[in-house]
Amino acid sequence: MSSPDIEFRPARRTLIRAGLAAGLSLALAGCFRPVYAPESPSATGDAGPVAVNLKRVDVTPIEGRVGLKMRNELIFLLRGGDAAGPIAYRLDVALSQRGQSPIVDPFTGQPETRTVSLTADYILKPAGRLDPIIKGQEFATASYNYSLQRFADIRAQRDAEDRAAQQIAEKIRTRLQGYFATGR
């Protein structure tokens, strides 16, 4: 063997590996389909793509200020700002909330950070029927800094509650997308 052959072997291996990776990625590219593709009917037998089925979900009112925020967020996430289609599904959500003070200043005894925990139990049912299609539970937490300013603390707590409600709404939307895409 001569020394030029030894110098080109690592370059050939790298080129071969890159070629194999590119070929494999091209071969697998046809295995995936977008969730919102217009030609992807749902596996539940309904005529229409996932986005159309999401617009057909009616979100029932949820109690409390945080419940109203979560309902509005869910409606926006499911419909994207469009009007509701003909209602085919009903989503019932029950929300519970807890607050905690995990970090306390040892000198003053005042809490420095608080955490808001939200738990949502949800059920998706066909419109006009009582048998559930999907049941689930989602959980989210959000923390905020606590200070001696009362109104700043109230606003910080509301913002943390809103962030947690938005997280849960996104999780529920993702679960519904999965159901309408696969039927499971």
Side-chain angles (χ1 to χ4, degrees):
M1 280 192 209
S2 64
S3 62
D5 289 336
I6 295 173
E7 293 175 14
F8 289 115
R9 281 191 183 165
R12 268 192 225 158
R13 284 186 193 153
T14 305
L15 186 62
I16 290 172
R17 287 179 184 164
L20 286 174
L24 185 62
S25 64
L26 286 175
L28 290 177
C31 297
F32 301 102
R33 66 181 167 115
V35 173
Y36 289 111
E39 68 275 352
S40 64
S42 68
T44 60
D46 296 335
V50 173
V52 172
N53 284 329
L54 288 176
K55 289 180 184 178
R56 297 169 63 192
V57 175
D58 178 37
V59 182
T60 59
I62 307 169
E63 292 183 21
R65 187 198 70 80
V66 180
L68 178 65
K69 173 68 176 174
M70 182 181 297
R71 180 176 187 263
N72 289 340
E73 194 68 36
L74 271 169
I75 289 171
F76 181 76
L77 288 172
L78 295 177
R79 299 179 189 159
D82 291 342
I87 302 302
Y89 304 98
R90 189 177 82 218
L91 182 66
D92 297 324
V93 180
L95 188 65
S96 62
Q97 178 178 350
R98 293 183 322 167
Q100 301 171 351
S101 298
I103 299 177
V104 177
D105 185 7
F107 298 112
T108 63
Q110 295 290 327
E112 293 179 348
T113 303
R114 289 192 174 179
T115 303
V116 173
S117 300
L118 294 179
T119 304
D121 296 310
Y122 63 93
I123 300 173
L124 181 70
K125 302 175 186 174
R129 295 178 45 199
L130 297 177
D131 53 329
I133 298 173
I134 300 174
K135 287 183 178 181
Q137 184 179 52
E138 296 297 339
F139 178 78
T141 61
S143 61
Y144 63 96
N145 291 336
Y146 184 80
S147 69
L148 298 176
Q149 298 177 357
R150 181 173 55 153
F151 295 114
D153 291 333
I154 292 170
R155 185 72 241 181
Q157 180 180 357
R158 285 185 181 172
D159 289 343
E161 291 169 348
D162 291 349
R163 285 193 313 270
Q166 184 176 7
Q167 289 174 11
I168 290 177
E170 289 172 356
K171 290 177 183 180
I172 291 174
R173 179 196 56 177
T174 303
R175 176 65 180 104
L176 294 179
Q177 285 174 338
Y179 171 74
F180 288 130
T182 64
R184 298 185 260 151

